[in-house]
Amino acid sequence: WLDQTIAHARLSETSCAVLLIHIADFREVDEVFEVRADDILAQDAGALAQAALEPHHFLARLARDEFAVGVPELVQHSRAHELGARVLGSLSEFVAARGLQMQIGVNIGIAIYPRDAATSESLMHAARVSLSEARESGSNQMRVFNSAAGERARRMRVIRRDLWPAIQDDALSLVYQPKYDVKTRGVVGAEALCRWRHPTLGAINPAEFIMVAEQSGQIDKLDDWVISQVCAQVRAWQDAGLPVVPVAINVSGLRFASRNFAQYLLEQIHQHDIPPSAITLEITETAAMKDIGKSMETLADLQSLGIHVALDDFGSGYSSLGYLKRLRVGTLKIDRTLIGGLDADLQGRAIVGSMVALAHELRMKVVAEGGESASQLDILHAMGCDEVQGYLMAMPLEVPAFVDLLHSARPLRA
Ligand code: C2E
Ligand code: MG
Ligand code: MG
């Protein structure tokens, strides 16, 4: 439900919140009052839901002593705090009403999308960090904690500090997610996606370190590293006699708009002696819109070099259909939030359907990102969508697994 809530918040440009509620000392309740803690908790959940929540809030029990509340369409961030306070109030009332002469320790951690995190995973993580800070600040106390601004800032500093050496030492890596022809179901391309396993923070979501890279001026360096890695990889695959498919590289709007971008790319292509058609680029709509004049210049340069460009994440922001015509990119890549909505409702289907039709009208190819179910694939097929990329067909793959796939995808020759 959290994924959906976030997707909805993204589309409607609102916020949403997660409240993680931990109830301490239930073991003691168990022993002292000779009632099953589980029973109390189950009723707590009901009491919480009735007393504090509104009908459109979600309540989920994550563990014996832990609940999560999802608040969609959060208009003011302070509303999440108010709700937390109400939950605390209703819980203590509940305990009093049951005649339980004891204090239970309730702690709440709150995280808000998009302020604190951009994905459901990182939002839950942020809520968990807030919760542990709330718990550290006192047991048997009811406290609502703000999102872990301090923890987050610390994390950002570490990422910012360690990214540069990681790029230089080749500590980043690339995975390759295949793209499939919707009709023939054959592999027709791939997207290179950056991965970073930090020595202490573990695997960091690319959305997170790319954002830091953009904010700290390291994105040019990162994007250039990816370009040279992919070019070298394609060279190696060609040398090994593999049937290479075009590989898409994500390029930040900042790098795309910088003066020598097309030149750098061309240098890399020449240096590795690969055809320009082996590389495609993915840029996001918002990046392209920032300086449309400059973007169009760069696009024209790239086109004259024979490099194909796709507009990534289409439909995730302010989709301006008018710009599509002016931008003249070859491919439209429909954002996965829209593809995820295909199964659910007719409206979502209508939106994607008209995007496909419009793109074809403009002689663009259409790629669907984030195909996760067979029914989505069927719908996309019926709409005439050209290519699809998603967990249904394949996850982003490490190089050896991707090579296996290329081998097996090799068309049989007579
Ligand atoms: P993106 O370019 O839109 O990449 C597609 C994202 O969707 C990838 O996330 C991919 O793993 C994910 N995805 C693919 N199929 C599915 C699916 O069926 N379901 C779901 N839920 N997700 C799916 P990832 O790898 O986490 O990358 C996130 C974003 O980070 C990328 O979005 C891109 O904007 C950025 N990024 C990744 N690598 C690079 C890079 O080398 N350079 C730059 N500048 N940005 C990068
Ligand atoms: Mg992409
Ligand atoms: Mg995308």
Side-chain angles (χ1 to χ4, degrees), residues 351-385:
I351 291 171
V352 175
S354 48
M355 280 180 179
V356 173
L358 178 80
H360 282 163
E361 194 87 1
L362 297 170
R363 306 211 181 293
M364 297 168 85
K365 192 170 74 178
V366 186
V367 181
E369 171 193 282
E372 291 185 350
S373 75
S375 58
Q376 287 167 3
L377 197 59
D378 289 341
I379 295 167
L380 289 167
H381 187 240
M383 285 172 177
C385 178

Short mmCIF file of all heavy atoms in Angstrom, two decimals, residues 351-385:
data_model
loop_
_atom_site.label_atom_id
_atom_site.label_comp_id
_atom_site.label_asym_id
_atom_site.label_seq_id
_atom_site.Cartn_x
_atom_site.Cartn_y
_atom_site.Cartn_z
N ILE A 351 -4.83 7.08 -20.15
CA ILE A 351 -3.69 8.01 -20.20
C ILE A 351 -2.53 7.37 -20.96
O ILE A 351 -1.98 7.97 -21.88
CB ILE A 351 -3.24 8.40 -18.77
CG1 ILE A 351 -4.30 9.28 -18.13
CG2 ILE A 351 -1.90 9.11 -18.80
CD1 ILE A 351 -4.08 9.56 -16.66
N VAL A 352 -2.20 6.14 -20.59
CA VAL A 352 -1.08 5.47 -21.26
C VAL A 352 -1.41 5.25 -22.73
O VAL A 352 -0.57 5.48 -23.62
CB VAL A 352 -0.74 4.13 -20.57
CG1 VAL A 352 0.33 3.39 -21.34
CG2 VAL A 352 -0.29 4.38 -19.13
N GLY A 353 -2.64 4.86 -23.00
CA GLY A 353 -3.06 4.62 -24.38
C GLY A 353 -2.89 5.86 -25.24
O GLY A 353 -2.37 5.78 -26.36
N SER A 354 -3.26 7.00 -24.69
CA SER A 354 -3.15 8.20 -25.53
C SER A 354 -1.70 8.66 -25.65
O SER A 354 -1.32 9.23 -26.67
CB SER A 354 -4.06 9.32 -25.01
OG SER A 354 -3.89 9.49 -23.64
N MET A 355 -0.89 8.36 -24.62
CA MET A 355 0.54 8.68 -24.75
C MET A 355 1.17 7.86 -25.88
O MET A 355 1.97 8.38 -26.67
CB MET A 355 1.28 8.36 -23.45
CG MET A 355 1.12 9.42 -22.39
SD MET A 355 2.03 8.92 -20.92
CE MET A 355 1.69 10.35 -19.90
N VAL A 356 0.81 6.57 -25.91
CA VAL A 356 1.36 5.70 -26.96
C VAL A 356 0.94 6.22 -28.33
O VAL A 356 1.76 6.37 -29.25
CB VAL A 356 0.88 4.24 -26.77
CG1 VAL A 356 1.32 3.37 -27.95
CG2 VAL A 356 1.42 3.66 -25.46
N ALA A 357 -0.35 6.55 -28.45
CA ALA A 357 -0.88 7.00 -29.74
C ALA A 357 -0.19 8.31 -30.17
O ALA A 357 0.23 8.45 -31.31
CB ALA A 357 -2.39 7.20 -29.64
N LEU A 358 -0.07 9.22 -29.20
CA LEU A 358 0.55 10.52 -29.53
C LEU A 358 2.00 10.34 -29.95
O LEU A 358 2.45 10.92 -30.94
CB LEU A 358 0.48 11.45 -28.31
CG LEU A 358 1.13 12.79 -28.55
CD1 LEU A 358 0.21 13.72 -29.33
CD2 LEU A 358 1.54 13.44 -27.24
N ALA A 359 2.73 9.52 -29.20
CA ALA A 359 4.14 9.29 -29.52
C ALA A 359 4.28 8.70 -30.92
O ALA A 359 5.14 9.12 -31.70
CB ALA A 359 4.77 8.37 -28.48
N HIS A 360 3.41 7.77 -31.24
CA HIS A 360 3.48 7.16 -32.57
C HIS A 360 3.15 8.18 -33.65
O HIS A 360 3.76 8.20 -34.71
CB HIS A 360 2.55 5.95 -32.66
CG HIS A 360 3.13 4.74 -31.99
ND1 HIS A 360 2.39 3.64 -31.63
CD2 HIS A 360 4.40 4.47 -31.60
CE1 HIS A 360 3.17 2.73 -31.06
NE2 HIS A 360 4.39 3.22 -31.02
N GLU A 361 2.19 9.03 -33.33
CA GLU A 361 1.83 10.12 -34.24
C GLU A 361 3.07 10.97 -34.55
O GLU A 361 3.27 11.41 -35.67
CB GLU A 361 0.77 10.98 -33.54
CG GLU A 361 0.06 11.94 -34.43
CD GLU A 361 -1.14 11.27 -35.09
OE1 GLU A 361 -1.42 10.08 -34.84
OE2 GLU A 361 -1.78 11.95 -35.86
N LEU A 362 3.89 11.17 -33.51
CA LEU A 362 5.10 11.98 -33.67
C LEU A 362 6.29 11.13 -34.13
O LEU A 362 7.44 11.54 -34.03
CB LEU A 362 5.44 12.68 -32.35
CG LEU A 362 4.42 13.68 -31.83
CD1 LEU A 362 4.74 14.13 -30.42
CD2 LEU A 362 4.35 14.90 -32.76
N ARG A 363 6.01 9.92 -34.54
CA ARG A 363 7.03 8.97 -35.03
C ARG A 363 8.07 8.66 -33.96
O ARG A 363 9.26 8.53 -34.25
CB ARG A 363 7.74 9.52 -36.26
CG ARG A 363 6.78 9.92 -37.38
CD ARG A 363 7.39 9.74 -38.76
NE ARG A 363 6.46 10.16 -39.80
CZ ARG A 363 5.31 9.54 -40.06
NH1 ARG A 363 4.95 8.47 -39.37
NH2 ARG A 363 4.51 9.99 -41.01
N MET A 364 7.60 8.57 -32.74
CA MET A 364 8.52 8.17 -31.68
C MET A 364 8.26 6.72 -31.31
O MET A 364 7.14 6.23 -31.42
CB MET A 364 8.28 9.03 -30.42
CG MET A 364 8.56 10.49 -30.62
SD MET A 364 7.92 11.42 -29.21
CE MET A 364 9.29 11.27 -28.10
N LYS A 365 9.31 6.08 -30.82
CA LYS A 365 9.16 4.73 -30.29
C LYS A 365 8.70 4.86 -28.84
O LYS A 365 9.03 5.83 -28.17
CB LYS A 365 10.52 4.04 -30.37
CG LYS A 365 10.50 2.57 -30.13
CD LYS A 365 11.85 1.96 -30.48
CE LYS A 365 12.88 2.31 -29.41
NZ LYS A 365 14.21 1.73 -29.66
N VAL A 366 7.94 3.88 -28.36
CA VAL A 366 7.47 3.94 -26.98
C VAL A 366 7.99 2.75 -26.17
O VAL A 366 7.84 1.59 -26.57
CB VAL A 366 5.93 3.95 -26.89
CG1 VAL A 366 5.49 4.16 -25.46
CG2 VAL A 366 5.36 5.03 -27.79
N VAL A 367 8.61 3.07 -25.05
CA VAL A 367 9.08 2.03 -24.14
C VAL A 367 8.31 2.16 -22.82
O VAL A 367 8.18 3.27 -22.29
CB VAL A 367 10.59 2.18 -23.85
CG1 VAL A 367 11.07 1.08 -22.92
CG2 VAL A 367 11.40 2.17 -25.13
N ALA A 368 7.80 1.06 -22.33
CA ALA A 368 7.13 1.07 -21.03
C ALA A 368 8.13 0.61 -19.98
O ALA A 368 8.79 -0.41 -20.13
CB ALA A 368 5.93 0.13 -21.05
N GLU A 369 8.22 1.39 -18.91
CA GLU A 369 9.17 1.06 -17.84
C GLU A 369 8.41 0.47 -16.66
O GLU A 369 7.34 0.96 -16.30
CB GLU A 369 9.88 2.35 -17.42
CG GLU A 369 10.73 2.23 -16.18
CD GLU A 369 11.13 3.62 -15.69
OE1 GLU A 369 12.04 4.19 -16.28
OE2 GLU A 369 10.52 4.10 -14.73
N GLY A 370 8.94 -0.60 -16.09
CA GLY A 370 8.34 -1.14 -14.87
C GLY A 370 7.17 -2.07 -15.11
O GLY A 370 6.22 -2.10 -14.34
N GLY A 371 7.25 -2.85 -16.20
CA GLY A 371 6.22 -3.87 -16.43
C GLY A 371 6.37 -4.98 -15.40
O GLY A 371 7.40 -5.62 -15.33
N GLU A 372 5.36 -5.16 -14.59
CA GLU A 372 5.48 -6.15 -13.51
C GLU A 372 4.49 -7.30 -13.62
O GLU A 372 4.59 -8.27 -12.88
CB GLU A 372 5.32 -5.46 -12.14
CG GLU A 372 6.49 -4.54 -11.81
CD GLU A 372 6.39 -3.94 -10.42
OE1 GLU A 372 5.34 -4.09 -9.78
OE2 GLU A 372 7.39 -3.31 -9.99
N SER A 373 3.50 -7.18 -14.49
CA SER A 373 2.52 -8.28 -14.56
C SER A 373 2.21 -8.62 -16.01
O SER A 373 2.36 -7.79 -16.91
CB SER A 373 1.23 -7.89 -13.83
OG SER A 373 0.49 -6.97 -14.62
N ALA A 374 1.77 -9.87 -16.19
CA ALA A 374 1.44 -10.34 -17.53
C ALA A 374 0.27 -9.55 -18.11
O ALA A 374 0.23 -9.28 -19.31
CB ALA A 374 1.11 -11.83 -17.48
N SER A 375 -0.65 -9.15 -17.25
CA SER A 375 -1.81 -8.41 -17.78
C SER A 375 -1.38 -7.02 -18.27
O SER A 375 -1.89 -6.54 -19.28
CB SER A 375 -2.90 -8.31 -16.72
OG SER A 375 -2.41 -7.69 -15.57
N GLN A 376 -0.41 -6.41 -17.58
CA GLN A 376 0.11 -5.13 -18.07
C GLN A 376 0.72 -5.31 -19.45
O GLN A 376 0.51 -4.49 -20.36
CB GLN A 376 1.18 -4.58 -17.12
CG GLN A 376 0.64 -4.05 -15.82
CD GLN A 376 1.74 -3.83 -14.78
OE1 GLN A 376 2.92 -4.01 -15.05
NE2 GLN A 376 1.34 -3.44 -13.59
N LEU A 377 1.44 -6.41 -19.60
CA LEU A 377 2.09 -6.70 -20.88
C LEU A 377 1.04 -6.85 -21.98
O LEU A 377 1.21 -6.34 -23.10
CB LEU A 377 2.94 -7.96 -20.74
CG LEU A 377 3.99 -8.18 -21.82
CD1 LEU A 377 4.97 -7.03 -21.87
CD2 LEU A 377 4.73 -9.49 -21.56
N ASP A 378 -0.03 -7.55 -21.66
CA ASP A 378 -1.12 -7.74 -22.64
C ASP A 378 -1.72 -6.40 -23.05
O ASP A 378 -1.96 -6.15 -24.23
CB ASP A 378 -2.22 -8.63 -22.06
CG ASP A 378 -1.76 -10.07 -21.93
OD1 ASP A 378 -0.77 -10.43 -22.60
OD2 ASP A 378 -2.37 -10.83 -21.15
N ILE A 379 -1.96 -5.56 -22.04
CA ILE A 379 -2.55 -4.25 -22.32
C ILE A 379 -1.61 -3.43 -23.20
O ILE A 379 -2.02 -2.81 -24.18
CB ILE A 379 -2.85 -3.50 -20.99
CG1 ILE A 379 -3.93 -4.25 -20.20
CG2 ILE A 379 -3.30 -2.07 -21.26
CD1 ILE A 379 -4.08 -3.78 -18.75
N LEU A 380 -0.31 -3.46 -22.85
CA LEU A 380 0.68 -2.70 -23.62
C LEU A 380 0.75 -3.21 -25.06
O LEU A 380 0.89 -2.45 -26.01
CB LEU A 380 2.06 -2.80 -22.96
CG LEU A 380 2.17 -2.03 -21.64
CD1 LEU A 380 3.44 -2.42 -20.89
CD2 LEU A 380 2.17 -0.52 -21.88
N HIS A 381 0.63 -4.52 -25.20
CA HIS A 381 0.64 -5.13 -26.53
C HIS A 381 -0.54 -4.64 -27.35
O HIS A 381 -0.39 -4.22 -28.50
CB HIS A 381 0.61 -6.65 -26.38
CG HIS A 381 0.79 -7.38 -27.68
ND1 HIS A 381 -0.16 -8.23 -28.18
CD2 HIS A 381 1.79 -7.35 -28.58
CE1 HIS A 381 0.26 -8.71 -29.35
NE2 HIS A 381 1.44 -8.20 -29.61
N ALA A 382 -1.70 -4.63 -26.70
CA ALA A 382 -2.91 -4.18 -27.39
C ALA A 382 -2.82 -2.70 -27.78
O ALA A 382 -3.36 -2.28 -28.80
CB ALA A 382 -4.13 -4.42 -26.50
N MET A 383 -2.10 -1.92 -26.98
CA MET A 383 -1.96 -0.49 -27.27
C MET A 383 -0.94 -0.21 -28.37
O MET A 383 -0.83 0.90 -28.84
CB MET A 383 -1.50 0.26 -26.01
CG MET A 383 -2.57 0.46 -24.99
SD MET A 383 -1.84 1.13 -23.49
CE MET A 383 -3.32 1.34 -22.50
N GLY A 384 -0.15 -1.24 -28.69
CA GLY A 384 0.87 -1.05 -29.71
C GLY A 384 2.16 -0.49 -29.18
O GLY A 384 3.00 0.00 -29.93
N CYS A 385 2.35 -0.56 -27.86
CA CYS A 385 3.61 -0.13 -27.25
C CYS A 385 4.75 -0.98 -27.81
O CYS A 385 4.58 -2.17 -28.03
CB CYS A 385 3.50 -0.28 -25.73
SG CYS A 385 5.00 0.15 -24.87
#
